[in-house]
Amino acid sequence: EAAREYEEIVARQPRAIEGWNELAGVWVRAGEFDKAWGVFRRAAGAMPGETTPWLSWTHTMVRTGEVEAGVRVAREAASAFPESTEIIENLCLTLAFADGAGAQELVDLHKRLGGLMAQGSRRPAAVFTNSRDPNRPLKVAFWSTDFRFHACAFFLAGLLTRLDRSRVQVFCYALNAPDSVSQAFAGLGVYRELRRGPEEEVAR
């Protein structure tokens, strides 16, 4: 009965992703995954040129444990929207849950995502006057809302603890309220809290 009601809703508002999400959710809760994926396929057809059906589709697959299928959908979306930062980021995130994702593919995808984000930036590039000495440690800043008890923090901690401190100097700019996990990051480099500063001050 709920599915019939949602079918009427998406018929009236085919370009509203909320209705499609709810309709797919009905079939997920009923254990009818193939029907749910069919709903998202229809949503993508009803919303050509929009990324939201693909993102919802992939996220739902991952949440239900259908990770490999989610990777296939994320790859299909990346082929359809090769210039979309949302879609490429979605593929990067989905591959993080997948077994057997190749390290080089992950590196290439993240470089591609970085390039797309740089192209879309409206802020002019900063001019740096620091030393160009190639033998000095490279200063690298990590800016995040997740230097706290959060999945991203656990991924990042693994990276930061393994960096060669003779080659890299770490700066952590935290946009979150501190907790016990934050204290651990404070020991991995220069740790600065920037929760409420004005945007221009934070940029400086």
Side-chain angles (χ1 to χ4, degrees):
E1 185 177 348
R4 286 196 299 271
E5 295 290 339
Y6 283 122
E7 286 286 1
E8 291 184 15
I9 290 172
V10 297
R12 290 196 302 269
Q13 297 178 311
R15 298 189 69 83
I17 191 61
E18 293 81 6
W20 294 106
N21 284 342
E22 293 295 339
L23 177 57
V26 167
W27 293 122
V28 166
R29 286 188 288 275
E32 300 278 359
F33 295 137
D34 286 344
K35 289 184 179 180
W37 313 151
V39 168
F40 285 122
R41 177 72 69 182
R42 288 166 53 203
M47 304 169 68
E50 296 193 29
T51 59
T52 48
W54 297 90
L55 297 171
S56 292
W57 189 357
T58 308
H59 295 167
T60 304
M61 283 183 152
V62 171
R63 285 198 301 271
T64 56
E66 299 288 326
V67 176
E68 298 308 317
V71 169
R72 289 195 296 272
V73 171
R75 290 189 193 282
E76 185 178 348
S79 295
F81 301 92
E83 303 300 316
S84 168
T85 55
E86 282 186 315
I87 289 293
I88 304 305
E89 181 180 20
N90 181 58
L91 177 54
C92 291
L93 291 171
T94 305
L95 285 170
F97 294 95
D99 292 328
Q104 190 58 53
E105 180 186 17
L106 290 173
V107 168
D108 292 343
L109 273 172
H110 282 80
K111 286 182 176 179
R112 179 178 168 190
L113 176 61
L116 289 171
M117 295 181 76
Q119 290 171 17
S121 174
R122 294 193 180 97
R123 185 184 295 274
V127 177
F128 295 102
T129 59
N130 53 287
S131 166
R132 300 289 175 164
D133 177 7
N135 296 316
R136 69 176 178 84
L138 184 66
K139 295 180 179 181
V140 180
F142 297 85
W143 184 16
S144 179
T145 58
D146 297 324
F147 289 115
R148 58 189 174 89
F149 188 82
H150 188 277
C152 291
F154 300 120
F155 282 114
L156 187 56
L159 168 66
L160 297 187
T161 56
R162 288 167 176 80
L163 289 176
D164 182 349
R165 290 305 191 275
S166 69
R167 300 179 61 192
V168 178
Q169 185 178 0
V170 172
F171 292 79
C172 298
Y173 291 92
L175 302 175
N176 53 268
D179 63 10
S180 59
V181 174
S182 305
Q183 296 170 11
F185 280 102
L188 296 176
V190 178
Y191 187 84
R192 295 174 176 160
E193 293 183 10
L194 297 173
R195 293 200 302 279
R196 298 189 181 278
E199 184 173 315
E200 290 305 317
E201 181 183 339
V202 170
R204 284 196 301 272

